[in-house]
Amino acid sequence: MDYFILLTVSGISIGVIYGLIGMGYALIFKATSVVNFAQGEVMMLISYMAFSIASSWSLPFWSLLGVCVVLSGVVGLLIERIFIRPMLGQDVFSTVMVTIGMAVMIRAVVVLIWGADPMVLPTDIGDSGVEFGMVFLYTAQIYAIGFLAVCVFGMWAFLRFSRMGVAMRATAARETTALLMGINVTRVYALAWAIAAVIAGVSGVLLGTIYGLGPDMWTQGLRAFPAVILGGLDSVFGAAISGILIGVLENLSEGYIGHGLKEISGFLVILVVLMIRPYGLFGTPEIERV
Amino acid sequence: MRTGVIQESYGELISLFRNPTQTYWTWALVIMSLAAPVVLTGHVTSLINGMMIAAIGVIGLNLLTGTTGLISFGQAGFLAVGGYTAAILSADYSMPLWLCVPAGGLMAAAFGLLVGIPSLRLKGLYLAITTLAFTIIITHLILSAESITHGSSGISTAKPAIFGMELATDKSFYYLVLAVLVLAILGSANIKRSRVGRAFLAIREQDIAARAMGVPVARYKLYAFVVSSFYAGIAGALMAYQIRFVNVDSFSLVISIEAVSMIIVGGLGSTAGAVIGVVFVLGLAEILNYVFSSMGGAMGSISALELKGFIYGLTIVLFLRFEPDGLMGIYREYKNRWVNWPFRY
């Protein structure tokens, strides 16, 4: 039983990161119907930027996080302006390939600037943590869980009550009609990219604090794919929930069934789930008319 | 002024060559490729071998993604299946090459059928991510099934030999690969001009409409998957023979993405485009290699590698931004301008 709890808790703590990255995927897909393959790379970029800031100014953790939120918002806006906006009107697949090209470029830039060696993100919450019975959690892991909760609640409130959030839902429902109703669709797109980048940035800082920085950090973005597919590509909350589900499942399968299953159990699950529910657990089925 | 080519019957519409000029040029190209190894150095020949092998796989992907419109990031997985099947058969069971290569293709085709089944209900990006999952799962399976695949240590294949004749040098291997490539191109061209190819196109444009018009969508989607993975399997098997070694590292997800970028750079849906895309992307990599190595120690090996990655990413982005129809699109545009000069088309 202890083993089970241990696996579950550590699964939740990694699943939270999947959930956060997945929320970024889902938000962008919901607003613009494009999957941003560079989400993991954006996360990596921001956490390396956080490294540079933290090592030159030694800010306290919360101010560092604040700086990174602003920084990642700017990065998100820049990406949208430089790479994505020119692709408006092209088919979705082309835009997706642009995000893949962008991902390759960001990976290269990160290694060119910061080098390929693994590094530690120097923050003042570094190794501190709390022990719950026999489970030990780093402070950053607890913050990550808290941040996911804040994000889920914040996104819900944003989409439900704010003017911009309603505009985003309208754009997601039908772009042309939204445009005709006077919604500034390009601004909605830009906002979606900015919010996704902020979520990625904060999760990057947390991930860097927990596991350190390395040039393979972007693979977390790949590993978060099962989460967003399981939840349904256009369901922001589905991504958060199934992120945790996938994280726990990965750990349990690794612990009870066999070594190495951690890497693929999420992908195996989505293959099965997609056969039964092609739009994931919470995704909206697309109704096609010919 | 030339009036262009006018096709007057259905037979002419679907013929392999549009007009005599095209026929002559094709034969000229064939003769040139037959003569090429005589003039080229060993290094260039081996580079061309690599390009031709990649082209076989990419032509297959083009049938699936370009012609049928099913986006797949699974090509590396099929390549791995083909490569490993050929390597295991040749190294552990000492089978001859003429059995191993088709066996690699057939094995990959069987896996293609397996991956194709979920594709019947999935569309667009959901399908893309599912095929991506396949690549990741297959690499993992290869690593864990150590008793068959030798796990992470990889397999060394036997020297390529066909009907008792050893293809020891790059130049003799060249003719084998060239023959397979010609067959691959012919196969792809023939599929495209047949009933099946027209069904593929109908599915790409609108699969529900295709179904309404009586195209059995499920069967043809599976067919596209099987054919495309067969091509990839053949390419994988040849790759195993060329490098004489297989390892999961040579079949990473990056290969899938490269394959998709090649058909985009070349021009989606066109067989010639697929070949040109391969030549462009691999050629660019080779030229960058040359440039960076001639700069010598001025740049560390890591930064040269990363710069290459950066330029590669930038190429994809720029192509999609400015030339969505790829190199074939540029070619068509210039051809039209030339033919219609001095008039605007």
Side-chain angles (χ1 to χ4, degrees):
Chain A
M1 196 58 201
D2 286 355
Y3 187 50
F4 177 78
I5 293 173
L6 196 71
L7 286 177
T8 312
V9 172
S10 63
I12 291 175
S13 70
I14 184 70
V16 165
I17 300 287
Y18 295 159
L20 284 170
I21 301 173
M23 280 177 78
Y25 283 131
L27 186 68
I28 290 178
F29 185 83
K30 194 179 169 71
T32 70
S33 58
V34 165
V35 173
N36 175 21
F37 272 73
Q39 192 73 7
E41 279 77 1
V42 171
M43 184 186 81
M44 177 160 96
L45 180 68
I46 305 290
S47 61
Y48 271 88
M49 286 177 165
F51 168 82
S52 289
I53 296 167
S55 49
S56 47
W57 289 328
S58 69
L59 293 172
F61 182 74
W62 288 107
S63 350
L64 177 67
L65 207 61
V67 173
C68 284
V69 164
V70 177
L71 208 60
S72 48
V74 173
V75 167
L77 287 177
L78 280 179
I79 286 177
E80 197 273 340
R81 192 70 194 82
I82 298 172
F83 292 101
I84 308 301
R85 180 108 31 115
M87 298 303 291
L88 268 182
Q90 307 265 22
D91 66 314
V92 172
F93 181 47
S94 305
T95 318
V96 171
M97 282 308 291
V98 166
T99 68
I100 291 181
M102 196 167 81
V104 176
M105 287 162 73
I106 295 177
R107 254 178 260 162
V109 165
V110 166
V111 179
L112 276 177
I113 299 179
W114 285 281
D117 298 321
M119 296 189 286
V120 178
L121 186 62
T123 52
D124 54 0
I125 57 162
D127 285 337
S128 64
V130 189
E131 214 167 320
F132 299 98
M134 29 118 231
V135 187
F136 178 81
L137 283 180
Y138 288 115
T139 316
Q141 285 177 315
I142 297 168
Y143 284 172
I145 297 173
F147 183 62
L148 181 72
V150 169
C151 273
V152 168
F153 182 75
M155 282 312 299
W156 173 76
F158 169 73
L159 290 174
R160 178 81 180 75
F161 298 113
S162 84
R163 219 180 146 71
M164 208 58 200
V166 177
M168 193 174 281
R169 280 194 293 152
T171 313
R174 191 160 284 250
E175 197 181 290
T176 323
T177 317
L179 193 69
L180 291 174
M181 291 294 154
I183 292 171
N184 189 340
V185 173
T186 45
R187 194 185 293 165
V188 169
Y189 284 177
L191 188 71
W193 279 85
I195 296 176
V198 167
I199 297 177
V202 174
S203 46
V205 172
L206 292 168
L207 194 72
T209 313
I210 304 169
Y211 299 103
L213 306 173
D216 58 348
M217 252 178 108
W218 62 272
T219 50
Q220 294 297 332
L222 216 57
R223 309 239 341 235
F225 267 131
V228 72
I229 291 286
L230 182 67
L233 268 177
D234 63 345
S235 164
V236 181
F237 313 114
I241 296 165
S242 37
I244 297 178
L245 273 179
I246 294 279
V248 171
L249 191 96
E250 276 186 352
N251 258 17
L252 290 182
S253 60
E254 172 95 1
Y256 285 108
I257 305 174
H259 178 68
L261 265 181
K262 193 175 189 155
E263 313 286 328
I264 57 163
S265 51
F267 289 105
L268 287 173
V269 167
I270 58 163
L271 282 188
V272 176
V273 171
L274 284 179
M275 292 280 273
I276 304 160
R277 289 183 68 95
Y279 293 96
L281 296 180
F282 307 97
T284 10
E286 207 175 294
I287 297 165
E288 272 191 89
R289 292 187 182 83
V290 183
Chain B
M1 198 183 95
R2 229 173 82 182
T3 48
V5 184
I6 295 162
Q7 276 124 356
E8 293 175 331
S9 69
Y10 286 119
E12 280 174 35
L13 264 178
I14 60 168
S15 65
L16 202 51
F17 297 109
R18 278 279 162 88
N19 49 44
T21 327
Q22 210 177 18
T23 321
Y24 301 145
W25 278 113
T26 311
W27 280 113
L29 189 68
V30 169
I31 291 166
M32 262 161 61
S33 357
L34 282 176
V38 182
V39 249
L40 296 175
T41 61
H43 174 70
V44 178
T45 319
S46 106
L47 177 71
I48 292 179
N49 282 350
M51 281 181 180
M52 292 198 297
I53 292 171
I56 296 168
V58 170
I59 288 170
L61 181 68
N62 185 48
L63 276 176
L64 183 67
T65 302
T67 312
T68 323
L70 303 170
I71 304 166
S72 165
F73 288 122
Q75 209 67 355
F78 297 124
L79 212 62
V81 171
Y84 262 89
T85 309
I88 291 166
L89 286 180
S90 89
D92 294 350
Y93 300 91
S94 50
M95 297 255 205
L97 181 139
W98 63 269
L99 263 179
C100 288
V101 172
L106 288 177
M107 192 62 145
F111 272 86
L113 193 64
L114 203 70
V115 181
I117 292 169
S119 82
L120 297 179
R121 291 195 70 184
L122 301 179
K123 276 195 181 158
L125 295 171
Y126 280 93
L127 176 65
I129 294 174
T130 313
T131 50
L132 185 144
F134 167 72
T135 302
I136 291 172
I137 291 172
I138 207 78
T139 337
H140 183 80
L141 282 182
I142 288 174
L143 276 179
S144 55
E146 259 178 59
S147 55
I148 312 171
T149 61
H150 304 267
S152 54
S153 54
I155 311 174
S156 303
T157 60
K159 275 187 187 166
I162 191 154
F163 304 125
M165 199 168 57
E166 199 164 275
L167 306 174
T169 61
D170 284 323
K171 294 192 176 179
S172 48
F173 193 60
Y174 172 93
Y175 288 104
L176 172 74
V177 179
L178 181 68
V180 179
L181 178 66
V182 168
L183 282 180
I185 290 175
L186 271 179
S188 161
N190 278 333
I191 285 175
K192 276 205 223 160
R193 68 200 186 94
S194 71
R195 176 194 181 85
V196 181
R198 290 191 292 276
F200 284 175
L201 282 175
I203 292 172
R204 178 181 76 180
E205 296 308 327
Q206 227 325 326
D207 59 350
I208 297 175
R211 182 131 111 222
M213 291 187 344
V215 176
V217 172
R219 192 197 306 161
Y220 281 117
K221 276 187 178 175
L222 284 181
Y223 194 56
F225 257 103
V226 168
V227 172
S228 139
S229 45
F230 180 77
Y231 272 73
I234 296 278
L238 288 174
M239 207 167 123
Y241 272 109
Q242 196 204 10
I243 316 174
R244 303 241 181 102
F245 180 71
V246 287
N247 186 316
V248 278
D249 294 341
S250 26
F251 305 112
S252 64
L253 195 60
V254 181
I255 305 287
S256 290
I257 288 169
E258 256 186 17
V260 176
S261 70
M262 281 166 182
I263 56 174
I264 286 177
V265 167
L268 273 175
S270 134
T271 309
V275 178
I276 295 171
V278 171
V279 173
F280 183 86
V281 171
L282 292 183
L284 183 73
E286 191 60 27
I287 290 170
L288 290 177
N289 264 347
Y290 178 74
V291 169
F292 287 135
S293 67
S294 66
M295 275 155 69
M299 200 182 291
S301 61
I302 291 179
S303 39
L305 191 73
E306 296 307 324
L307 262 182
K308 252 175 74 181
F310 184 81
I311 293 173
Y312 168 63
L314 191 66
T315 315
I316 303 179
V317 171
L318 289 181
F319 256 101
L320 286 163
R321 169 75 182 81
F322 295 107
E323 204 52 66
D325 291 329
L327 290 166
M328 277 311 273
I330 299 180
Y331 167 72
R332 278 188 214 114
E333 192 183 309
Y334 276 91
K335 198 177 95 176
N336 279 339
R337 197 178 290 176
W338 184 250
V339 168
N340 296 315
W341 191 85
F343 302 108
R344 292 270 187 88
Y345 181 59

